[in-house]
Amino acid sequence: RSKSDLLSAPLPLLSLAPMPPVVELSARTGQGLEELEQEIARRAALLPDAAPEMLKAGTDILVEYQRGSIIEKGLIDTGDMFDSIRAGPVKEGRDGWYQEVWPQGRDRNGTRNAEKGFILEYGTSRIEQTHWMSEANDAAKDEVVEAMRKVWLEYVERMES
């Protein structure tokens, strides 16, 4: 098993864009469509610069939710896995920008924290599943998206002023 087997929390970016300005559009002639397309393209071009700041705002919240879930479920032994939960680097993939949040590195005994997180999430024949990460990700979703949306709106406003 690898860290890729452990749930990560993809942060959605599609629903974050503010609506482009209203343009007059003729349903009969299509006049105004080009202006609308240009405005959407202009705003889309802002996203590569805004994405890291947006993702940081979201992952800061998600890290706290995942750590809170570990505390709530009483899963702390040495605290190594708890301390290892952090966001990885911002990456650009096929579907856009993303940043993963999960237990990273190894504990003091050399065990991968992601492996411990996976076992605690899904369980084994001797260890009960806890769903600590999936529950934290679900609980954090609205707050994460709102934090990212706020950063996006502030960024667009700065660029337009």
Side-chain angles (χ1 to χ4, degrees), residues 1-152:
R1 304 230 172 187
S2 70
K3 78 168 178 80
S4 63
D5 293 328
L6 186 61
L7 287 174
S8 65
L11 301 175
L13 292 179
L14 282 175
S15 63
L16 299 174
M19 294 301 293
V22 175
V23 296
E24 287 192 35
L25 183 61
S26 169
R28 199 168 48 112
T29 66
Q31 184 177 5
L33 187 57
E34 188 174 313
E35 182 183 341
L36 179 61
E37 289 174 342
Q38 288 172 352
E39 182 58 28
I40 290 171
R42 187 184 69 75
R43 292 215 176 161
L46 297 175
L47 192 54
D49 294 331
E53 187 180 344
M54 292 168 60
L55 288 167
K56 178 161 182 7
T59 57
D60 286 349
I61 293 166
L62 190 56
V63 165
E64 293 310 311
Y65 269 83
Q66 287 186 9
R67 287 180 175 174
S69 181
I70 287 174
I71 291 170
E72 180 183 304
K73 294 185 177 289
L75 302 176
I76 295 180
D77 182 16
T78 64
D80 291 342
M81 187 178 84
F82 176 89
D83 292 338
S84 78
I85 296 175
R86 59 185 169 272
V90 174
K91 298 177 183 177
E92 184 177 3
R94 184 178 61 234
D95 297 324
W97 293 268
Y98 67 96
Q99 191 171 20
E100 298 174 325
V101 175
W102 46 273
Q104 300 182 33
R106 295 182 180 270
D107 70 8
R108 62 190 76 194
N109 297 319
T111 304
R112 290 181 309 123
N113 288 309
E115 180 180 351
K116 294 190 314 188
F118 181 91
I119 289 169
L120 291 170
E121 175 76 14
Y122 297 108
T124 67
S125 60
R126 290 178 288 184
I127 299 173
E128 188 175 339
Q129 62 188 359
T130 64
H131 299 293
W132 68 273
M133 183 182 276
S134 56
E135 290 176 10
N137 294 349
D138 286 344
K141 181 174 54 178
D142 291 341
E143 196 174 329
V144 165
V145 170
E146 186 53 37
M148 293 172 64
R149 179 174 168 70
K150 182 179 177 193
V151 169
W152 171 245

